[in-house]
Amino acid sequence: MLEPKFAQIKQHIISKIKSAQWEEHSKIPSENEFAEQFSVSRMTARRALTELCEAGVLTRNQGLGTFVASFKSQSSLLEIRNIADEVKERGGQYSCLPITLESMSAIAPIAIALGVEIDSQVYHSVLVHLENEIPLQVEERFVNPEFAPDYLQQDFELTTPHEYLCKAAPLTEAKHTVEAISPNAEMCNWLALYNEEPCLQVIRRTWSSNGIVSFTRLVSPGSKYRLGGHLTFKRNK
């Protein structure tokens, strides 16, 4: 069965980027040029470019054209770091307690977040990250099996999901939502909280060059974890 034309255009663009024929920040052909090359309507070509822009592979500049995006696994404010490295840098002893590792049918919110069909199979994990045997963070992650087929076979007591996914599907983009929450009883149990201490919750989606890789919820006690960032501002001359 032949792929739809818009999917063929997407694959063509991705192959050009992967082979380094089109490098970061380089301008790519226009919608009209793709439409002519693949003998399709401009609307079909636009769909291909739009989906790759939404996935973080391309970026558009009004009036200038479409360009290959910068592939950096961080947002403008929050750097994505491996929690095991953070703990070790502080001189602590990192460990992990796996709670859940399973394949499941994607309900609507998960399917939408991962860009897959409802009821399709996705991977689901719940891990507790510990520092000096004290719970530091609960990580609940949903993964698209297409980009990380061996996810459930990993020993997460030896490697973190972040480490595995960076190798299996190198990250190109991440989007975050950060908020304070009141943990439920299950979360209090995982984090060994004996009162209703406010927690910090980070919701994160990550992309590789081919699409959305994972949708993750990170929950940490407010007294044990914080987020920081560094911004550099240029002076106007």
Side-chain angles (χ1 to χ4, degrees):
M1 182 178 179
L2 291 177
E3 281 189 313
K5 285 289 188 178
F6 79 90
Q8 293 179 33
I9 297 173
K10 287 173 63 176
Q11 198 55 49
H12 170 76
I13 294 171
I14 290 170
S15 66
K16 290 284 189 181
I17 295 172
K18 281 186 172 181
S19 65
Q21 294 180 62
W22 292 350
E23 298 181 344
E24 291 183 29
H25 309 300
S26 60
K27 187 175 181 179
I28 71 168
S30 66
E31 292 174 1
N32 286 335
E33 289 173 307
F34 279 123
E36 183 177 348
Q37 180 181 349
F38 285 86
S39 301
V40 297
S41 67
R42 183 176 176 182
M43 184 176 297
T44 298
R46 179 178 298 171
R47 177 179 176 181
L49 297 187
T50 297
E51 289 190 5
L52 288 179
C53 285
E54 291 175 349
V57 177
L58 303 176
T59 181
R60 278 182 173 151
N61 191 316
Q62 189 67 34
L64 295 179
T66 305
F67 300 81
V68 178
S70 175
F71 295 158
K72 295 181 180 178
S73 21
Q74 61 181 40
S75 72
S76 59
L77 292 177
L78 294 174
E79 180 184 3
I80 297 179
R81 300 200 61 205
N82 181 25
I83 190 168
D85 292 338
E86 291 183 29
V87 171
K88 292 171 185 175
E89 286 174 9
R90 291 194 291 266
Q93 181 180 357
Y94 169 79
S95 58
C96 175
L97 175 63
I99 303 296
T100 301
L101 285 172
E102 64 180 359
S103 179
M104 60 173 284
S105 298
I107 59 174
I110 303 304
I112 292 169
L114 287 177
V116 299
E117 296 294 326
I118 294 174
D119 291 331
S120 63
Q121 290 297 297
V122 299
Y123 295 152
H124 175 226
S125 62
V126 178
L127 310 174
V128 180
H129 301 290
L130 302 96
E131 181 172 2
N132 300 327
E133 300 185 355
I134 298 174
L136 177 66
Q137 183 182 84
V138 172
E139 172 187 318
E140 182 176 25
R141 188 183 294 264
F142 300 90
V143 176
N144 187 336
E146 179 181 352
F147 304 127
D150 298 324
Y151 183 78
L152 295 181
Q153 281 68 57
Q154 302 309 301
D155 184 347
F156 290 123
E157 294 185 54
L158 299 177
T159 186
T160 64
H162 175 78
E163 288 173 317
Y164 167 71
L165 291 175
C166 281
K167 294 176 183 176
L171 307 183
T172 60
E173 183 184 1
K175 294 185 179 180
H176 312 267
T177 301
V178 183
E179 62 181 340
I181 65 165
S182 295
N184 59 23
E186 184 177 53
M187 190 64 67
C188 286
N189 181 53
W190 288 337
L191 290 171
L193 299 178
Y194 301 105
N195 54 41
E196 294 186 1
E197 176 184 340
C199 289
L200 181 69
Q201 175 174 275
V202 178
I203 302 294
R204 175 183 293 155
R205 285 202 298 167
T206 57
W207 282 256
S208 73
S209 57
N210 290 321
I212 303 170
V213 176
S214 69
F215 173 61
T216 310
R217 181 170 70 123
L218 306 169
V219 179
S220 308
S223 62
K224 297 178 183 176
Y225 207 79
R226 64 181 178 180
L227 293 171
H230 179 91
L231 298 179
T232 301
F233 298 91
K234 295 182 178 180
R235 292 184 179 180
N236 293 325
K237 295 184 178 179

